[in-house]
Amino acid sequence: MAAGIYTIRSIKDNKILVGQSTNVFSRLSQHKFHLRKDTHDNRHLQSADNKYGVDNFEFQVLVICEEEHLY
């Protein structure tokens, strides 16, 4: 388990979602899972996925840090 900060960037329009998690790799997997199942809570992200596909997104871990450094 690794805490950290991540981004999901739309290649098509360069919009970026920034997130943080106490288990960053698991969280990114959850995002991908929900996008593929059309059940993601973020309606803008889900809409972009429905329109352009998951290959439109770049999933990146920016920082691995101690959990207490997350807000």
Side-chain angles (χ1 to χ4, degrees):
M1 240 172 50
I5 299 169
Y6 63 88
T7 61
I8 302 173
R9 183 179 73 86
S10 170
I11 297 166
K12 190 81 167 172
D13 60 14
N14 211 33
K15 290 183 180 179
I16 299 173
L17 177 145
V18 179
Q20 64 181 6
S21 176
T22 56
N23 189 342
V24 71
F25 297 107
S26 175
R27 183 65 182 127
L28 285 174
S29 292
Q30 289 172 3
H31 278 293
K32 292 175 190 177
F33 174 82
H34 287 288
L35 287 170
R36 288 187 182 111
K37 296 293 183 184
D38 197 21
T39 59
H40 202 283
D41 290 336
N42 184 314
R43 64 183 173 97
H44 298 290
L45 189 61
Q46 186 66 65
S47 177
D49 177 71
N50 293 345
K51 189 171 184 178
Y52 304 115
V54 75
D55 292 335
N56 171 60
F57 297 105
E58 177 184 74
F59 297 84
Q60 183 178 19
V61 175
L62 295 180
V63 176
I64 299 293
C65 62
E66 298 295 323
E67 189 175 330
E68 58 266 12
H69 292 121
L70 298 176
Y71 293 99

